[in-house]
């Protein structure tokens, strides 16, 4: 047993950290979030694509790098740490579902370009109004095999050319931009990931029929775990900001970190961040190597990291006092991304119910 | 990263599992004294088969196993519901400290009888005026030829009534700054200068004691780690205590959790069962997740310890987290139990009461948070 990244995984982590630190300083994050309509630039996307990130966990046969979920979460954590606005997670999500369930022709047409970063993708999960759980979607095709209905809270749909739509019974359809679908922006809590509503008006229902229940469940678990990893990175960053502020800021003639009400808050952050990281690494490993325990492991990771992400960023805000509540400070980008992540791909409550079922409650 | 057991680890587990199955002594007797002798006999059986002190060096009677194998050992023992070994403190702390800081003579002298449970150990750190602020302790030792003469009082000393040896920290230099004037001794408990008086706990049991030490004698050869170096040795002891605890206890926690889940499935509740109640389900699922997180953190810590050596301050996180989960779980168990929890003889009522000590024994949660804040996060020391 060796519960640590291996040398290759460590190298990926380091490359990601260095690249993202260079390209996404917090001023740039702010600019992208507040000024760029899609939240990213073509140059930035091209660079991520050159690193091979969109196809990181896509099989080599489909034009991806054929790496595992562990490598995927290593990059996702760094993306979260940088709070980088990017359609990477959305594209990866679409690619994972296509890899799990696409037919040969769908893979050739849609998956390969996603893996190469030639096209951007996303997944439309929520009906309008969204139910509490991501598995409650009701959308179903009409008799003439077309889709009509509304999907909301779809990330990065403004840029996406390939959209995987989730419908009743977990069925999946592939839709391409222009296929009788109208996309309108929705103001979002998290400005680092843009949200849209989709109006499907007789869009051709090109169903993904190449997989089975298991492969699709696994892909959803990979998506949830990657998002959980992002939240670990966000929480790590928020914790580091809190600790460094607690060392610098003085009140009553001493650094505020000397007060236990503050230092114990920081200790609590560490407990949760390390715990969430362990849970995410374990889930990622199980998704690659232990299919039997993977669904439970992924549900635990998403539940724990969802709570951790929100709690740690909120706690960091408290440590910062008034300045942490200002638009001018960067902390709110972390808080908002962590909070939005907590609700996406099934919230903590949803995943705890999964856990309850899986442990026989 | 590879979370599967290696072939060697698997072989280790299979061999141990088969051995426990063939040698399990059955349920322990009820009375405290009989239960202790039962556990002592069990440890002797374990020792004779070469399964005591698995991670200790072979030359001192151990098995030279890796830390992961040691963790597997703990998991297998708990899984088989094997009795706890009698000499818990000697195995978890006394031995590792002698291995880390002792002389060759000390290793030859003390390690074997710890493993065989021939000599039981206790830990004499806490005093009436020195709990969390351990370095302020007042028990004093004065040099007299080849011996030291010790006078003072210790408290909360678990197993002192059974012990032959006490890991005793005493002040040998009253003029030095408080962390510097301490020395770590191994004190023979069987001498007229040492009086042991049991203290009854809130559960009604008497696991721990007061020690009255009146001119007890300790040979100079029984110093561990050198005169004036007691603080560093004590810290090693505590690091081992916390790291070991977090690993061993997560497995017990898991068993307790399984029992609570079973209970919840049977317990009638609002016309159905407790397990069907949304709030109970949610809280139990959360505790299941926390227990897993504790385990995963512990294993990640093990990998780090195998790479970098001694257990670090991270053990404090695990000990703190464990206390929190165990307290929440036993509390939830009594809620599931309902009004029956008012009866004193119920299992969950006992577990609920015993768990109150978790956030005090082995360092209070507040002190552990201080350690995490100061030693891991580098926050300023609290004054
Ligand atoms: C079941 C059990 C078994 C034990 N076995 C042993 C044993 O075998 N050998 C041994 O030596 N000891 C043993 N102990 C003692 C244990 O280590 C001490 O009880 C513990 O260290 C706390 O010391 P105290 O009881 O004096 O409490 P105090 O130190 O007086 O603490 C009282 C309260 O004040 C808080 N506090 C103290 N200082 C600070 C601070 N700086 N910041 C914030 N809060 C603070 C504490 O967290 C606690 O809540 C045992 C205790 C128990 C409950």
């Amino acid at each position: 047993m060796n519960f640590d990244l291996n040398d290759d995984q460590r190298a990926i982590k380091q490359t990601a950290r260095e690249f993202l630190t260079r390209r996404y300083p917090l001023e740039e994050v702010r600019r992208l979030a507040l000024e760029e309509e899609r939240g990213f630039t073509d140059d930035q996307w091209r660079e991520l694509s050159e690193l091979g990130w969109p196809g990181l966990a896509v099989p080599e046969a489909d034009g991806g790098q054929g790496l595992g979920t562990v490598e995927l979460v290593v990059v996702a954590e760094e993306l979260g740490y940088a709070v980088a606005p990017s359609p990477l997670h959305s594209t990866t999500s679409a690619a994972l579902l296509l890899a799990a369930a696409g037919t040969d022709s769908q893979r050739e047409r849609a998956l390969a370009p996603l893996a190469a970063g030639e096209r951007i993708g996303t997944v439309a999960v929520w009906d309008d109004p969204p139910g509490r759980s991501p598995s409650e979607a009701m959308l179903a095709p009409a008799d003439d095999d077309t889709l009509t209905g509304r999907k909301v809270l779809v990330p990065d749909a403004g840029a996406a050319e390939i959209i995987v739509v989730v419908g009743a019974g977990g069925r999946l359809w592939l839709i391409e931009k222009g296929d009788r679908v109208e996309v309108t922006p929705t103001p979002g809590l998290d400005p680092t990931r843009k949200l849209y509503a989709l109006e499907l008006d007789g869009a051709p229902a090109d169903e993904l029929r190449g997989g089975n229940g298991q492969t699709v469940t696994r892909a959803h678990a990979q998506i949830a775990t990657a998002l959980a990893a992002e939240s670990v990175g966000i929480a790590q960053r928020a914790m580091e900001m809190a600790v460094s502020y607690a060392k610098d800021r003085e009140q009553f003639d001493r650094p505020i970190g000397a007060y236990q009400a503050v230092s114990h808050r920081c200790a609590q952050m560490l407990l949760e961040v390390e715990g969430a990281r362990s849970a995410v690494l374990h889930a990622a490993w199980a998704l690659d190597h232990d299919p039997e325990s993977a669904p439970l492991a992924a549900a635990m990771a998403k539940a724990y990291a969802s709570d951790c992400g929100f709690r740690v960023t909120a706690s960091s805000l408290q440590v910062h006092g008034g300045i942490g509540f200002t638009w001018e400070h960067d902390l709110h980008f972390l808080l908002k991304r962590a909070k939005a992540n907590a609700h996406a791909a099934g919230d903590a409550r949803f995943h705890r119910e999964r856990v309850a079922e899986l442990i026989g409650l | 990263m590879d979370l599967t057991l290696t072939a060697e680890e698997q072989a280790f587990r299979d061999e141990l599992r088969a051995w426990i199955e063939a040698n399990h002594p059955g349920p322990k007797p009820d009375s405290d004294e009989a239960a202790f002798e039962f556990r002592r006999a069990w440890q002797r059986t374990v020792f004779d088969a070469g399964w005591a002190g698995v991670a200790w060096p072979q030359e001192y009677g151990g098995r030279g196993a890796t830390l992961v194998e040691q963790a597997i050992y703990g998991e297998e023992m708990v899984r088989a519901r094997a009795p706890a070994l009698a000499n818990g403190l000697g195995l978890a702390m006394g031995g590792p400290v002698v291995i880390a800081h002792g002389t060759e003579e000390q290793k030859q002298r003390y390690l074997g009888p710890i493993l065989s449970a021939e000599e039981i150990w206790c830990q004499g750190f806490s005093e009436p005026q020195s709990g969390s602020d351990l370095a302020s302790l007042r028990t004093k030792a004065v040099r007299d030829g080849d011996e030291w003469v010790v006078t003072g009082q210790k408290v909360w000393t678990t197993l002192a009534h059974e012990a032959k040896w006490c890991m005793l920290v005493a002040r040998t230099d009253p003029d030095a700054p408080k962390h510097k004037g301490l020395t770590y001794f191994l004190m023979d408990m069987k001498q007229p200068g040492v009086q042991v008086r049991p203290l009854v706990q809130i559960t009604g049991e008497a696991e721990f004691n007061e020690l009255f030490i009146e001119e007890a004698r300790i040979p100079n050869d029984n110093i561990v780690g050198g005169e004036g170096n007691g603080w560093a040795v004590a810290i090693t002891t505590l690091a081992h205590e916390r790291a070991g605890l977090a690993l061993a206890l997560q497995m017990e926690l898991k068993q307790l959790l399984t029992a609570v889940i079973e209970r919840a499935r049977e317990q009638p509740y609002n016309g159905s069962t407790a397990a069907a109640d949304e709030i109970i389900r949610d809280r139990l699922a959360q505790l299941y997740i926390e227990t897993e997180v504790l385990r995963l953190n512990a294993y990640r810590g093990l990998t780090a310890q195998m790479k970098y050596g001694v257990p670090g301050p991270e053990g404090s996180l695990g000990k703190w987290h464990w206390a929190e989960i165990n307290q929440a779980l036993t509390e939830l168990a009594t809620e599931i139990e309902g009004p029956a929890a008012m009866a004193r003889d119920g299992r969950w009522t006992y577990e609920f009461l015993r768990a109150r000590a978790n956030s005090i024994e082995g360092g209070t949660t507040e002190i552990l948070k201080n350690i995490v804040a100061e030693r891991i996060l580098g926050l300023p020391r609290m004054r």
Side-chain angles (χ1 to χ4, degrees):
Chain A
M1 153 139 31
N2 178 6
F3 202 155
D4 197 2
L5 300 180
N6 64 29
D7 289 346
D8 289 347
Q9 291 158 348
R10 225 178 260 285
I12 293 175
K13 186 177 177 72
Q14 200 184 336
T15 309
R17 172 66 64 95
E18 284 167 8
F19 171 77
L20 292 165
T21 306
R22 237 179 308 121
R23 287 296 185 270
Y24 296 90
L26 286 167
E27 312 82 76
E28 176 64 1
V29 168
R30 174 176 291 266
R31 192 191 70 76
L32 291 169
L34 302 181
E35 291 168 27
E36 283 286 342
E37 194 187 326
R38 298 171 308 165
F40 66 96
T41 66
D42 288 334
D43 283 349
Q44 286 167 336
W45 180 249
R46 195 169 317 116
E47 273 192 313
L48 293 193
S49 302
E50 279 161 12
L51 286 167
W53 288 357
L56 194 80
V58 171
E60 281 175 292
D62 294 305
Q65 294 207 51
L67 293 172
T69 315
V70 174
E71 286 78 9
L72 182 68
V73 301
V74 164
V75 171
E77 183 181 332
E78 290 307 318
L79 203 75
Y81 184 86
V83 226
S86 165
L88 182 63
H89 177 75
S90 300
T91 303
T92 303
S93 302
L96 288 170
L97 286 170
L98 277 161
T103 59
D104 285 347
S105 88
Q106 287 165 334
R107 299 167 94 94
E108 204 169 310
R109 185 156 49 91
L111 179 52
L114 287 179
E118 288 158 11
R119 291 171 134 201
I120 286 166
T122 191
V123 180
V125 174
W126 306 102
D127 286 355
D128 187 18
R132 274 204 53 85
S133 101
S135 46
E136 276 173 28
M138 296 298 289
L139 185 71
D143 291 341
D144 63 353
D145 236 16
T146 59
L147 290 167
T148 298
R150 203 173 142 79
K151 283 284 181 183
V152 296
L153 309 169
V154 185
D156 299 310
E161 294 176 288
I162 289 169
I163 303 170
V164 175
V165 176
V166 183
R171 290 169 71 185
L172 303 168
W173 296 281
L174 170 62
I175 291 191
E176 293 187 51
K177 189 160 235 168
D179 280 352
R180 303 188 67 88
V181 47
E182 196 184 320
V183 179
T184 43
T186 309
L189 159 70
D190 167 21
T192 70
R193 184 147 33 225
K194 307 298 183 193
L195 297 179
Y196 300 83
L198 303 185
E199 202 71 58
L200 301 167
D201 181 17
D206 181 8
E207 187 162 8
L208 305 189
R209 293 176 202 273
N212 57 44
Q214 259 173 6
T215 58
V216 172
T217 302
R218 174 169 180 272
H220 281 302
Q222 284 179 299
I223 294 168
T225 304
L227 208 55
E230 247 199 28
S231 293
V232 172
I234 299 168
Q236 172 77 32
R237 184 75 172 268
M239 173 178 75
E240 288 175 15
M241 286 164 74
V243 168
S244 104
Y245 192 72
K247 289 177 187 171
D248 285 349
R249 170 75 174 170
E250 293 194 359
Q251 285 294 283
F252 303 99
D253 299 323
R254 61 181 80 163
I256 56 168
Y259 300 108
Q260 287 178 333
V262 172
S263 69
H264 287 189
R265 219 177 233 295
C266 295
Q268 179 73 33
M269 294 180 202
L270 184 72
L271 179 81
E272 296 188 23
V273 172
E274 289 300 340
R277 184 172 288 124
S278 294
V280 164
L281 286 172
H282 172 240
W285 181 86
L287 281 159
D288 291 342
H289 300 285
D290 187 9
E292 219 168 287
S293 71
L296 177 60
M300 292 196 294
K302 180 62 170 71
Y304 195 84
S306 293
D307 285 343
C308 160
F310 153 70
R311 280 208 295 250
V312 170
T313 51
S315 188
S316 180
L317 195 155
Q318 179 68 17
V319 168
H320 282 80
I323 192 81
F325 190 63
T326 61
W327 190 259
E328 189 192 338
H329 199 281
D330 295 315
L331 200 51
H332 68 106
F333 294 113
L334 279 76
L335 174 75
K336 290 168 180 172
R337 175 107 155 222
K339 183 66 177 150
N341 278 2
H343 289 278
D347 61 12
R349 187 66 205 277
F350 168 79
H351 285 285
R352 280 199 295 272
E353 179 51 35
R354 284 276 289 152
V355 170
E357 283 164 22
L358 291 166
I359 63 175
L361 265 174
Chain B
M1 199 162 109
D2 182 6
L3 303 187
T4 41
L5 300 183
T6 62
E8 296 85 55
E9 288 163 354
Q10 211 153 351
F12 176 93
R13 186 194 63 189
D14 294 346
E15 188 187 347
L16 175 63
R17 196 176 279 183
W19 183 85
I20 300 175
E21 213 166 290
N23 292 278
H24 197 299
K28 72 171 162 53
D30 279 339
S31 90
D32 284 357
E33 185 53 36
F36 185 80
E37 284 315 316
F38 173 82
R39 287 168 51 197
R40 191 198 280 259
W42 166 237
Q43 184 171 340
R44 179 79 213 190
T45 310
V46 169
F47 170 73
D48 287 340
W51 286 110
V54 280
W56 295 13
Q58 272 166 332
E59 58 205 289
Y60 305 120
R63 209 182 177 89
T66 66
L67 291 174
V68 169
E69 285 165 344
Q70 187 180 30
I72 294 170
Y73 176 86
E75 297 210 346
E76 288 301 316
M77 284 291 191
V78 173
R79 169 213 288 273
R81 293 171 208 260
L85 301 185
N87 208 3
L89 298 170
L91 289 165
M93 295 179 251
V97 160
V98 169
I99 291 169
H101 296 282
T103 61
E104 188 53 37
E105 291 72 38
Q106 288 172 333
K107 291 177 193 175
Q108 296 294 350
R109 165 65 188 81
Y110 295 107
L111 296 177
I114 292 179
L115 292 178
S116 64
E118 224 164 287
E119 293 177 348
I120 302 298
W121 285 48
C122 67
Q123 175 192 19
F125 283 22
S126 306
E127 298 183 2
Q129 301 305 324
S130 304
S132 299
D133 186 9
L134 182 61
S136 70
L137 62 83
R138 300 172 187 184
T139 292
K140 68 169 201 275
V142 179
R143 182 97 191 220
D144 179 21
D146 280 349
E147 290 189 327
W148 293 79
V149 180
V150 184
T151 299
Q153 190 184 340
K154 295 284 174 182
V155 71
W156 323 127
T157 324
T158 305
L159 280 182
H161 52 296
E162 303 283 359
K164 165 72 173 166
W165 296 107
C166 178
M167 300 168 252
L168 182 92
V169 185
R171 189 161 301 284
T172 44
D173 181 355
D175 301 324
K178 75 177 183 181
H179 293 83
K180 298 258 164 69
L182 303 174
T183 300
Y184 197 104
F185 294 96
L186 304 181
M187 178 174 79
D188 189 342
M189 294 287 285
K190 309 293 182 197
Q191 58 172 310
V194 179
Q195 297 298 322
V196 178
R197 191 186 299 161
L199 285 167
V200 180
Q201 305 170 176
I202 66 166
T203 53
E205 302 159 297
E207 277 179 87
F208 57 22
N209 307 271
E210 290 177 289
L211 290 192
F212 298 92
I213 309 170
E214 190 64 50
E215 304 207 334
R217 301 213 147 237
I218 306 180
N220 193 50
D221 288 345
N222 287 21
I223 288 178
V224 180
E227 188 182 334
N229 206 19
W231 184 248
V233 184
I235 292 296
T236 310
T237 313
L238 294 173
H240 277 285
E241 178 177 22
R242 286 164 198 158
L245 268 178
L247 251 182
L249 295 176
Q250 60 85 12
M251 200 59 201
E252 277 178 40
L253 189 59
K254 191 117 202 186
Q255 288 221 322
L256 202 65
L257 188 65
T258 308
V260 177
I261 289 170
E262 275 165 23
R263 190 81 198 83
R265 280 210 299 251
E266 290 157 11
Q267 177 70 24
Y269 204 89
N270 290 341
S272 178
T273 63
D277 181 78
E278 269 198 44
I279 294 175
I280 300 247
R281 282 173 81 75
D282 192 60
R283 286 171 64 190
L284 261 179
Q286 178 63 21
L287 287 169
Y288 185 92
I289 296 170
E290 300 262 357
T291 303
E292 272 296 294
V293 163
L294 175 70
R295 182 175 77 88
L296 295 168
N297 274 343
Y299 275 100
R300 242 175 89 214
L302 266 193
T303 297
Q305 196 182 329
M306 284 166 81
K307 276 193 185 158
Y308 310 114
V310 292
E314 293 74 18
S316 300
L317 272 182
K319 159 58 188 35
W320 149 28
H321 197 197
W322 166 76
E324 204 166 275
I325 302 169
N326 207 37
Q327 291 182 340
L329 181 63
T330 53
E331 207 173 326
L332 181 59
T334 57
E335 267 185 63
I336 291 170
E337 201 74 355
M342 287 189 287
R344 191 187 126 152
D345 52 3
R347 169 177 184 195
W348 300 114
T349 304
Y350 169 81
E351 299 286 2
F352 165 80
L353 289 174
R354 181 60 185 82
R356 297 306 100 195
N358 298 162
S359 49
I360 302 169
E361 57 196 336
T364 71
T365 292
E366 289 76 16
I367 294 303
L368 299 177
K369 288 182 182 179
N370 287 350
I371 293 173
V372 170
E374 292 167 13
R375 309 235 338 260
I376 304 181
L377 296 177
L379 286 165
R381 292 185 72 85
M382 177 261 330
R383 289 277 156 242

